[in-house]
mmCIF file of all heavy atoms in Angstrom:
data_model
loop_
_atom_site.group_PDB
_atom_site.id
_atom_site.type_symbol
_atom_site.label_atom_id
_atom_site.label_comp_id
_atom_site.label_asym_id
_atom_site.label_seq_id
_atom_site.Cartn_x
_atom_site.Cartn_y
_atom_site.Cartn_z
ATOM 1 N N THR A 1 -5.303 -25.899 -40.306
ATOM 2 C CA THR A 1 -3.845 -25.742 -40.350
ATOM 3 C C THR A 1 -3.159 -27.102 -40.379
ATOM 4 O O THR A 1 -2.094 -27.268 -40.980
ATOM 5 C CB THR A 1 -3.363 -24.923 -39.125
ATOM 6 O OG1 THR A 1 -4.028 -23.663 -39.136
ATOM 7 C CG2 THR A 1 -1.870 -24.711 -39.153
ATOM 8 N N LYS A 2 -3.796 -28.094 -39.765
ATOM 9 C CA LYS A 2 -3.249 -29.459 -39.725
ATOM 10 C C LYS A 2 -3.050 -30.011 -41.143
ATOM 11 O O LYS A 2 -2.084 -30.740 -41.397
ATOM 12 C CB LYS A 2 -4.192 -30.363 -38.934
ATOM 13 C CG LYS A 2 -3.735 -31.789 -38.784
ATOM 14 C CD LYS A 2 -4.754 -32.584 -37.969
ATOM 15 C CE LYS A 2 -4.426 -34.049 -37.946
ATOM 16 N NZ LYS A 2 -5.459 -34.830 -37.229
ATOM 17 N N VAL A 3 -3.928 -29.634 -42.059
ATOM 18 C CA VAL A 3 -3.786 -30.095 -43.442
ATOM 19 C C VAL A 3 -2.458 -29.605 -44.005
ATOM 20 O O VAL A 3 -1.713 -30.366 -44.623
ATOM 21 C CB VAL A 3 -4.973 -29.614 -44.311
ATOM 22 C CG1 VAL A 3 -4.744 -29.954 -45.769
ATOM 23 C CG2 VAL A 3 -6.276 -30.224 -43.817
ATOM 24 N N ARG A 4 -2.155 -28.321 -43.797
ATOM 25 C CA ARG A 4 -0.898 -27.767 -44.292
ATOM 26 C C ARG A 4 0.309 -28.413 -43.627
ATOM 27 O O ARG A 4 1.322 -28.663 -44.265
ATOM 28 C CB ARG A 4 -0.856 -26.253 -44.070
ATOM 29 C CG ARG A 4 -1.795 -25.483 -44.922
ATOM 30 C CD ARG A 4 -1.573 -25.841 -46.393
ATOM 31 N NE ARG A 4 -2.011 -24.778 -47.215
ATOM 32 C CZ ARG A 4 -1.238 -24.127 -48.048
ATOM 33 N NH1 ARG A 4 0.016 -24.428 -48.191
ATOM 34 N NH2 ARG A 4 -1.731 -23.175 -48.786
ATOM 35 N N LYS A 5 0.179 -28.675 -42.339
ATOM 36 C CA LYS A 5 1.287 -29.313 -41.622
ATOM 37 C C LYS A 5 1.528 -30.722 -42.140
ATOM 38 O O LYS A 5 2.657 -31.195 -42.174
ATOM 39 C CB LYS A 5 1.009 -29.326 -40.119
ATOM 40 C CG LYS A 5 1.136 -27.964 -39.483
ATOM 41 C CD LYS A 5 0.898 -28.016 -37.995
ATOM 42 C CE LYS A 5 1.019 -26.622 -37.398
ATOM 43 N NZ LYS A 5 0.680 -26.598 -35.976
ATOM 44 N N THR A 6 0.458 -31.383 -42.554
ATOM 45 C CA THR A 6 0.585 -32.724 -43.118
ATOM 46 C C THR A 6 1.455 -32.696 -44.368
ATOM 47 O O THR A 6 2.294 -33.569 -44.571
ATOM 48 C CB THR A 6 -0.814 -33.300 -43.439
ATOM 49 O OG1 THR A 6 -1.559 -33.364 -42.229
ATOM 50 C CG2 THR A 6 -0.724 -34.679 -44.041
ATOM 51 N N VAL A 7 1.282 -31.672 -45.183
ATOM 52 C CA VAL A 7 2.085 -31.530 -46.402
ATOM 53 C C VAL A 7 3.547 -31.310 -46.028
ATOM 54 O O VAL A 7 4.447 -31.911 -46.636
ATOM 55 C CB VAL A 7 1.563 -30.371 -47.282
ATOM 56 C CG1 VAL A 7 2.480 -30.138 -48.470
ATOM 57 C CG2 VAL A 7 0.145 -30.653 -47.747
ATOM 58 N N SER A 8 3.800 -30.493 -45.025
ATOM 59 C CA SER A 8 5.185 -30.197 -44.651
ATOM 60 C C SER A 8 5.889 -31.407 -44.057
ATOM 61 O O SER A 8 7.114 -31.462 -44.034
ATOM 62 C CB SER A 8 5.245 -29.017 -43.680
ATOM 63 O OG SER A 8 4.652 -29.357 -42.453
ATOM 64 N N GLN A 9 5.137 -32.408 -43.592
ATOM 65 C CA GLN A 9 5.731 -33.612 -43.024
ATOM 66 C C GLN A 9 6.125 -34.642 -44.092
ATOM 67 O O GLN A 9 6.793 -35.610 -43.783
ATOM 68 C CB GLN A 9 4.770 -34.249 -42.020
ATOM 69 C CG GLN A 9 4.550 -33.396 -40.802
ATOM 70 C CD GLN A 9 3.422 -33.904 -39.925
ATOM 71 O OE1 GLN A 9 2.733 -34.853 -40.255
ATOM 72 N NE2 GLN A 9 3.227 -33.249 -38.796
ATOM 73 N N LEU A 10 5.683 -34.402 -45.322
ATOM 74 C CA LEU A 10 6.047 -35.313 -46.404
ATOM 75 C C LEU A 10 7.514 -35.148 -46.748
ATOM 76 O O LEU A 10 8.167 -34.198 -46.314
ATOM 77 C CB LEU A 10 5.192 -35.023 -47.646
ATOM 78 C CG LEU A 10 3.706 -35.313 -47.526
ATOM 79 C CD1 LEU A 10 2.964 -34.755 -48.734
ATOM 80 C CD2 LEU A 10 3.466 -36.806 -47.404
ATOM 81 N N SER A 11 8.015 -36.041 -47.574
ATOM 82 C CA SER A 11 9.402 -35.914 -48.019
ATOM 83 C C SER A 11 9.499 -36.266 -49.496
ATOM 84 O O SER A 11 8.565 -36.821 -50.087
ATOM 85 C CB SER A 11 10.310 -36.831 -47.190
ATOM 86 O OG SER A 11 9.939 -38.177 -47.379
ATOM 87 N N GLY A 12 10.622 -35.938 -50.068
ATOM 88 C CA GLY A 12 10.904 -36.293 -51.453
ATOM 89 C C GLY A 12 10.019 -35.599 -52.467
ATOM 90 O O GLY A 12 9.516 -34.498 -52.246
ATOM 91 N N LYS A 13 9.830 -36.289 -53.579
ATOM 92 C CA LYS A 13 9.077 -35.727 -54.694
ATOM 93 C C LYS A 13 7.609 -35.479 -54.342
ATOM 94 O O LYS A 13 7.026 -34.500 -54.787
ATOM 95 C CB LYS A 13 9.165 -36.642 -55.913
ATOM 96 C CG LYS A 13 10.521 -36.651 -56.564
ATOM 97 C CD LYS A 13 10.517 -37.511 -57.808
ATOM 98 C CE LYS A 13 11.894 -37.509 -58.441
ATOM 99 N NZ LYS A 13 11.932 -38.330 -59.648
ATOM 100 N N LEU A 14 7.016 -36.358 -53.545
ATOM 101 C CA LEU A 14 5.613 -36.179 -53.185
ATOM 102 C C LEU A 14 5.410 -34.846 -52.472
ATOM 103 O O LEU A 14 4.457 -34.120 -52.753
ATOM 104 C CB LEU A 14 5.127 -37.338 -52.310
ATOM 105 C CG LEU A 14 3.643 -37.314 -51.939
ATOM 106 C CD1 LEU A 14 2.766 -37.363 -53.192
ATOM 107 C CD2 LEU A 14 3.304 -38.480 -51.015
ATOM 108 N N LYS A 15 6.320 -34.501 -51.574
ATOM 109 C CA LYS A 15 6.225 -33.221 -50.863
ATOM 110 C C LYS A 15 6.299 -32.055 -51.848
ATOM 111 O O LYS A 15 5.488 -31.126 -51.782
ATOM 112 C CB LYS A 15 7.346 -33.099 -49.831
ATOM 113 C CG LYS A 15 7.328 -31.792 -49.068
ATOM 114 C CD LYS A 15 8.427 -31.741 -48.028
ATOM 115 C CE LYS A 15 8.339 -30.466 -47.214
ATOM 116 N NZ LYS A 15 9.320 -30.466 -46.105
ATOM 117 N N ILE A 16 7.244 -32.105 -52.752
ATOM 118 C CA ILE A 16 7.418 -31.025 -53.735
ATOM 119 C C ILE A 16 6.172 -30.899 -54.609
ATOM 120 O O ILE A 16 5.669 -29.794 -54.831
ATOM 121 C CB ILE A 16 8.673 -31.281 -54.598
ATOM 122 C CG1 ILE A 16 9.928 -31.169 -53.727
ATOM 123 C CG2 ILE A 16 8.735 -30.310 -55.775
ATOM 124 C CD1 ILE A 16 11.182 -31.703 -54.374
ATOM 125 N N TYR A 17 5.669 -32.017 -55.090
ATOM 126 C CA TYR A 17 4.492 -31.998 -55.960
ATOM 127 C C TYR A 17 3.264 -31.440 -55.242
ATOM 128 O O TYR A 17 2.530 -30.626 -55.782
ATOM 129 C CB TYR A 17 4.187 -33.395 -56.500
ATOM 130 C CG TYR A 17 5.226 -33.954 -57.445
ATOM 131 C CD1 TYR A 17 5.444 -35.315 -57.532
ATOM 132 C CD2 TYR A 17 5.995 -33.124 -58.255
ATOM 133 C CE1 TYR A 17 6.391 -35.848 -58.406
ATOM 134 C CE2 TYR A 17 6.939 -33.641 -59.118
ATOM 135 C CZ TYR A 17 7.137 -35.003 -59.188
ATOM 136 O OH TYR A 17 8.069 -35.522 -60.048
ATOM 137 N N ILE A 18 3.046 -31.909 -54.026
ATOM 138 C CA ILE A 18 1.843 -31.489 -53.303
ATOM 139 C C ILE A 18 1.959 -30.028 -52.843
ATOM 140 O O ILE A 18 0.981 -29.291 -52.887
ATOM 141 C CB ILE A 18 1.526 -32.462 -52.147
ATOM 142 C CG1 ILE A 18 1.083 -33.797 -52.769
ATOM 143 C CG2 ILE A 18 0.462 -31.903 -51.224
ATOM 144 C CD1 ILE A 18 0.730 -34.888 -51.806
ATOM 145 N N GLN A 19 3.148 -29.596 -52.465
ATOM 146 C CA GLN A 19 3.340 -28.177 -52.150
ATOM 147 C C GLN A 19 3.031 -27.312 -53.371
ATOM 148 O O GLN A 19 2.398 -26.263 -53.247
ATOM 149 C CB GLN A 19 4.774 -27.905 -51.682
ATOM 150 C CG GLN A 19 5.036 -28.322 -50.264
ATOM 151 C CD GLN A 19 6.485 -28.117 -49.850
ATOM 152 O OE1 GLN A 19 7.404 -28.182 -50.669
ATOM 153 N NE2 GLN A 19 6.688 -27.871 -48.566
ATOM 154 N N ASP A 20 3.459 -27.775 -54.533
ATOM 155 C CA ASP A 20 3.185 -27.047 -55.769
ATOM 156 C C ASP A 20 1.681 -26.985 -56.052
ATOM 157 O O ASP A 20 1.165 -25.944 -56.453
ATOM 158 C CB ASP A 20 3.922 -27.708 -56.941
ATOM 159 C CG ASP A 20 3.809 -26.919 -58.223
ATOM 160 O OD1 ASP A 20 4.122 -25.708 -58.221
ATOM 161 O OD2 ASP A 20 3.387 -27.510 -59.246
ATOM 162 N N VAL A 21 0.991 -28.082 -55.812
ATOM 163 C CA VAL A 21 -0.461 -28.109 -56.018
ATOM 164 C C VAL A 21 -1.141 -27.094 -55.102
ATOM 165 O O VAL A 21 -2.002 -26.321 -55.537
ATOM 166 C CB VAL A 21 -1.040 -29.529 -55.781
ATOM 167 C CG1 VAL A 21 -2.556 -29.489 -55.676
ATOM 168 C CG2 VAL A 21 -0.612 -30.477 -56.887
ATOM 169 N N PHE A 22 -0.747 -27.064 -53.833
ATOM 170 C CA PHE A 22 -1.349 -26.122 -52.895
ATOM 171 C C PHE A 22 -1.052 -24.677 -53.295
ATOM 172 O O PHE A 22 -1.930 -23.810 -53.206
ATOM 173 C CB PHE A 22 -0.885 -26.390 -51.458
ATOM 174 C CG PHE A 22 -1.771 -27.347 -50.717
ATOM 175 C CD1 PHE A 22 -1.567 -28.713 -50.789
ATOM 176 C CD2 PHE A 22 -2.826 -26.877 -49.949
ATOM 177 C CE1 PHE A 22 -2.385 -29.600 -50.115
ATOM 178 C CE2 PHE A 22 -3.656 -27.754 -49.265
ATOM 179 C CZ PHE A 22 -3.439 -29.122 -49.341
ATOM 180 N N ARG A 23 0.152 -24.397 -53.731
ATOM 181 C CA ARG A 23 0.506 -23.026 -54.132
ATOM 182 C C ARG A 23 -0.320 -22.597 -55.341
ATOM 183 O O ARG A 23 -0.859 -21.491 -55.376
ATOM 184 C CB ARG A 23 2.007 -22.937 -54.449
ATOM 185 C CG ARG A 23 2.469 -21.537 -54.699
ATOM 186 C CD ARG A 23 2.306 -20.725 -53.441
ATOM 187 N NE ARG A 23 2.710 -19.350 -53.672
ATOM 188 C CZ ARG A 23 2.395 -18.374 -52.869
ATOM 189 N NH1 ARG A 23 1.704 -18.602 -51.782
ATOM 190 N NH2 ARG A 23 2.781 -17.156 -53.125
ATOM 191 N N LYS A 24 -0.424 -23.468 -56.319
ATOM 192 C CA LYS A 24 -1.219 -23.136 -57.504
ATOM 193 C C LYS A 24 -2.701 -23.004 -57.157
ATOM 194 O O LYS A 24 -3.407 -22.183 -57.739
ATOM 195 C CB LYS A 24 -0.999 -24.175 -58.602
ATOM 196 C CG LYS A 24 0.382 -24.049 -59.226
ATOM 197 C CD LYS A 24 0.639 -25.087 -60.282
ATOM 198 C CE LYS A 24 2.029 -24.904 -60.873
ATOM 199 N NZ LYS A 24 2.382 -25.967 -61.818
ATOM 200 N N ALA A 25 -3.169 -23.795 -56.207
ATOM 201 C CA ALA A 25 -4.564 -23.696 -55.769
ATOM 202 C C ALA A 25 -4.819 -22.342 -55.111
ATOM 203 O O ALA A 25 -5.867 -21.730 -55.320
ATOM 204 C CB ALA A 25 -4.901 -24.830 -54.807
ATOM 205 N N GLU A 26 -3.866 -21.878 -54.315
ATOM 206 C CA GLU A 26 -4.010 -20.555 -53.694
ATOM 207 C C GLU A 26 -4.128 -19.469 -54.754
ATOM 208 O O GLU A 26 -4.970 -18.578 -54.648
ATOM 209 C CB GLU A 26 -2.816 -20.259 -52.785
ATOM 210 C CG GLU A 26 -2.803 -21.063 -51.511
ATOM 211 C CD GLU A 26 -1.508 -20.934 -50.735
ATOM 212 O OE1 GLU A 26 -0.463 -20.574 -51.334
ATOM 213 O OE2 GLU A 26 -1.530 -21.204 -49.526
ATOM 214 N N ILE A 27 -3.298 -19.561 -55.769
ATOM 215 C CA ILE A 27 -3.324 -18.560 -56.840
ATOM 216 C C ILE A 27 -4.628 -18.661 -57.623
ATOM 217 O O ILE A 27 -5.260 -17.648 -57.947
ATOM 218 C CB ILE A 27 -2.088 -18.715 -57.754
ATOM 219 C CG1 ILE A 27 -0.808 -18.438 -56.959
ATOM 220 C CG2 ILE A 27 -2.192 -17.796 -58.962
ATOM 221 C CD1 ILE A 27 0.471 -18.862 -57.649
ATOM 222 N N ASN A 28 -5.064 -19.883 -57.902
ATOM 223 C CA ASN A 28 -6.321 -20.091 -58.628
ATOM 224 C C ASN A 28 -7.490 -19.502 -57.848
ATOM 225 O O ASN A 28 -8.339 -18.792 -58.408
ATOM 226 C CB ASN A 28 -6.535 -21.586 -58.877
ATOM 227 C CG ASN A 28 -7.864 -21.890 -59.519
ATOM 228 O OD1 ASN A 28 -8.903 -21.869 -58.854
ATOM 229 N ND2 ASN A 28 -7.845 -22.178 -60.806
ATOM 230 N N LYS A 29 -7.570 -19.794 -56.573
ATOM 231 C CA LYS A 29 -8.684 -19.301 -55.751
ATOM 232 C C LYS A 29 -8.588 -17.787 -55.564
ATOM 233 O O LYS A 29 -9.614 -17.100 -55.499
ATOM 234 C CB LYS A 29 -8.755 -20.032 -54.410
ATOM 235 C CG LYS A 29 -9.131 -21.491 -54.568
ATOM 236 C CD LYS A 29 -10.464 -21.628 -55.305
ATOM 237 C CE LYS A 29 -10.677 -22.979 -55.891
ATOM 238 N NZ LYS A 29 -11.847 -23.061 -56.742
ATOM 239 N N ALA A 30 -7.382 -17.270 -55.489
ATOM 240 C CA ALA A 30 -7.222 -15.814 -55.419
ATOM 241 C C ALA A 30 -7.795 -15.169 -56.678
ATOM 242 O O ALA A 30 -8.489 -14.144 -56.611
ATOM 243 C CB ALA A 30 -5.741 -15.451 -55.264
ATOM 244 N N SER A 31 -7.537 -15.776 -57.804
ATOM 245 C CA SER A 31 -8.074 -15.265 -59.067
ATOM 246 C C SER A 31 -9.599 -15.286 -59.062
ATOM 247 O O SER A 31 -10.248 -14.335 -59.515
ATOM 248 C CB SER A 31 -7.532 -16.104 -60.229
ATOM 249 O OG SER A 31 -8.127 -15.718 -61.438
ATOM 250 N N LYS A 32 -10.179 -16.360 -58.537
ATOM 251 C CA LYS A 32 -11.645 -16.463 -58.469
ATOM 252 C C LYS A 32 -12.230 -15.389 -57.548
ATOM 253 O O LYS A 32 -13.260 -14.796 -57.852
ATOM 254 C CB LYS A 32 -12.071 -17.846 -57.961
ATOM 255 C CG LYS A 32 -11.652 -18.983 -58.844
ATOM 256 C CD LYS A 32 -12.552 -19.105 -60.020
ATOM 257 C CE LYS A 32 -12.195 -20.379 -60.780
ATOM 258 N NZ LYS A 32 -12.754 -20.406 -62.096
ATOM 259 N N ILE A 33 -11.574 -15.146 -56.429
ATOM 260 C CA ILE A 33 -12.051 -14.117 -55.506
ATOM 261 C C ILE A 33 -11.905 -12.739 -56.148
ATOM 262 O O ILE A 33 -12.805 -11.896 -56.043
ATOM 263 C CB ILE A 33 -11.314 -14.209 -54.155
ATOM 264 C CG1 ILE A 33 -11.744 -15.489 -53.423
ATOM 265 C CG2 ILE A 33 -11.574 -12.975 -53.290
ATOM 266 C CD1 ILE A 33 -10.959 -15.788 -52.170
ATOM 267 N N TYR A 34 -10.807 -12.531 -56.832
ATOM 268 C CA TYR A 34 -10.590 -11.265 -57.548
ATOM 269 C C TYR A 34 -11.696 -11.036 -58.587
ATOM 270 O O TYR A 34 -12.198 -9.925 -58.747
ATOM 271 C CB TYR A 34 -9.206 -11.282 -58.201
ATOM 272 C CG TYR A 34 -8.929 -10.114 -59.107
ATOM 273 C CD1 TYR A 34 -8.858 -8.816 -58.607
ATOM 274 C CD2 TYR A 34 -8.737 -10.304 -60.468
ATOM 275 C CE1 TYR A 34 -8.607 -7.746 -59.439
ATOM 276 C CE2 TYR A 34 -8.484 -9.242 -61.310
ATOM 277 C CZ TYR A 34 -8.416 -7.961 -60.790
ATOM 278 O OH TYR A 34 -8.166 -6.901 -61.621
ATOM 279 N N GLU A 35 -12.117 -12.099 -59.260
ATOM 280 C CA GLU A 35 -13.204 -11.994 -60.243
ATOM 281 C C GLU A 35 -14.513 -11.564 -59.587
ATOM 282 O O GLU A 35 -15.392 -11.027 -60.247
ATOM 283 C CB GLU A 35 -13.421 -13.339 -60.949
ATOM 284 C CG GLU A 35 -12.339 -13.696 -61.930
ATOM 285 C CD GLU A 35 -12.501 -15.103 -62.504
ATOM 286 O OE1 GLU A 35 -13.547 -15.758 -62.241
ATOM 287 O OE2 GLU A 35 -11.585 -15.549 -63.197
#
């Protein structure tokens, strides 16, 4: 959980970009599990 909290502590564009990466990773891995 600390990894996720680290992302939430970021600011500016880096926070937005990395949050987007994590969200897309969740969707990607969900697709793999669904397969």
Side-chain angles (χ1 to χ4, degrees):
T1 302
K2 182 180 173 184
V3 173
R4 290 306 204 120
K5 287 182 181 175
T6 300
V7 174
S8 66
Q9 294 170 355
L10 294 170
S11 62
K13 289 183 180 180
L14 184 60
K15 179 178 184 174
I16 293 167
Y17 293 150
I18 291 180
Q19 283 177 330
D20 186 53
V21 167
F22 270 87
R23 187 64 182 164
K24 288 178 180 175
E26 288 170 338
I27 296 167
N28 175 284
K29 293 303 161 188
S31 174
K32 298 281 187 195
I33 291 172
Y34 173 65
E35 287 174 7

